[in-house]
């Protein structure tokens, strides 16, 4: 597996919070068509609203509460997929043909593997997705990735991403798909 360094997400300036100190993501892409992400949130975890664990299932409106997100596009294409990973184990995948133009996929075959660990000062969420379930092209293509998080805390709702380009948080802005992942070598 190719290992990338930890990547810092930044809080949108309009949604500052004292509860969260930092969010970082580690991204790994394997030759076996897997994309693994570890989201690491450092902060005052008892002050963060974390959904209670449930059996893995498709959720709705996960982005309204604490959740982590990945946006995956083929380089040079407008179409993309949005994955929402909730610490509860719920998840959702959207297929979009362009900017915010799409709908959720109610397909259990798309289910990511989600694992969560938590202490008083750190929450980690591992999410593993199979790129070959997106299309036959995804495992061997150059990918543009957007990484983000919505954190519901006692002091504020904050929005974190690789890049912010607007006055309001907008994770669907393709300029935020700032991580370029080459296909794994032979």
């Amino acid at each position: 597996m190719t290992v990338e360094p930890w990547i810092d997400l930044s809080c949108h300036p309009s949604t500052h919070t004292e509860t969260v100190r930092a969010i970082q993501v580690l991204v790994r892409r394997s030759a076996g068509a897997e994309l693994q992400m570890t989201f690491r949130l450092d902060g005052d975890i008892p002050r963060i609203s974390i959904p209670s664990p449930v059996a893995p299932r498709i959720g709705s409106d996960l982005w309204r509460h604490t959740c982590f997100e990945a946006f995956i596009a083929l380089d040079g294409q407008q179409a993309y997929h949005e994955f929402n990973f909730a610490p509860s184990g719920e998840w959702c995948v959207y297929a979009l043909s362009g900017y915010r133009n799409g709908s959720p996929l109610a397909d259990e075959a798309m289910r990511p593997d989600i694992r969560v660990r938590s202490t008083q000062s750190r929450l980690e969420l591992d999410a593993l997705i199979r790129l070959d379930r997106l299309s036959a092209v995804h495992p061997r293509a150059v990918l543009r990735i957007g990484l983000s998080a919505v954190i519901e805390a006692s002091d504020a709702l904050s929005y974190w991403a690789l890049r912010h380009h607007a006055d309001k948080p907008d994770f669907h802005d393709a300029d935020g798909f700032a991580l370029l992942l080459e296909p794994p070598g032979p």
Side-chain angles (χ1 to χ4, degrees):
M1 254 187 192
T2 301
V3 177
E4 301 290 330
W6 285 98
I7 301 164
D8 293 322
L9 299 186
S10 62
C11 185
H12 192 277
S14 71
T15 65
H16 180 71
T17 177
E18 296 292 327
T19 305
V20 179
R21 288 186 295 280
I23 299 177
Q24 296 180 310
V25 187
L26 183 64
V27 179
R28 301 172 196 95
R29 184 176 182 180
S30 76
E34 294 177 341
L35 183 63
Q36 181 177 357
M37 295 154 284
T38 298
F39 292 84
R40 182 171 68 191
L41 183 159
D42 289 315
D44 188 355
I45 302 305
R47 293 182 54 206
I48 296 173
S49 178
I50 299 172
S52 298
V54 297
R57 65 180 182 211
I58 297 173
S60 62
D61 295 336
L62 299 178
W63 47 268
R64 292 186 184 271
H65 304 283
T66 299
C67 85
F68 301 94
E69 301 180 349
F71 295 79
I72 302 171
L74 298 171
D75 191 33
Q77 302 292 315
Q78 289 186 353
Y80 61 97
H81 289 86
E82 173 187 352
F83 281 81
N84 295 168
F85 314 110
S88 64
E90 291 179 291
W91 57 276
C92 192
V93 179
Y94 299 84
L96 300 107
S97 60
Y99 179 77
R100 294 187 181 271
N101 184 18
S103 59
L105 297 174
D107 183 354
E108 282 289 331
M110 301 297 287
R111 183 176 80 180
D113 182 25
I114 298 172
R115 307 261 187 240
V116 178
R117 295 170 301 286
S118 184
T119 67
Q120 294 286 12
S121 62
R122 177 171 286 171
L123 172 71
E124 289 186 348
L125 181 142
D126 295 322
L128 177 81
I129 61 171
R130 298 278 315 173
L131 293 171
D132 55 350
R133 294 182 181 161
L134 299 179
S135 80
V137 176
H138 278 77
R140 60 183 188 282
V142 176
L143 303 176
R144 286 183 300 111
I145 307 291
L147 300 167
S148 55
V150 176
I151 308 300
E152 183 181 16
S154 59
D155 63 341
L157 191 64
S158 60
Y159 298 88
W160 299 72
L162 287 172
R163 290 187 184 156
H164 298 283
H165 290 284
D167 293 340
K168 294 182 179 180
D170 185 358
F171 300 152
H172 290 265
D173 183 340
D175 287 338
F177 302 176
L179 178 62
L180 196 66
L181 288 182
E182 297 288 335

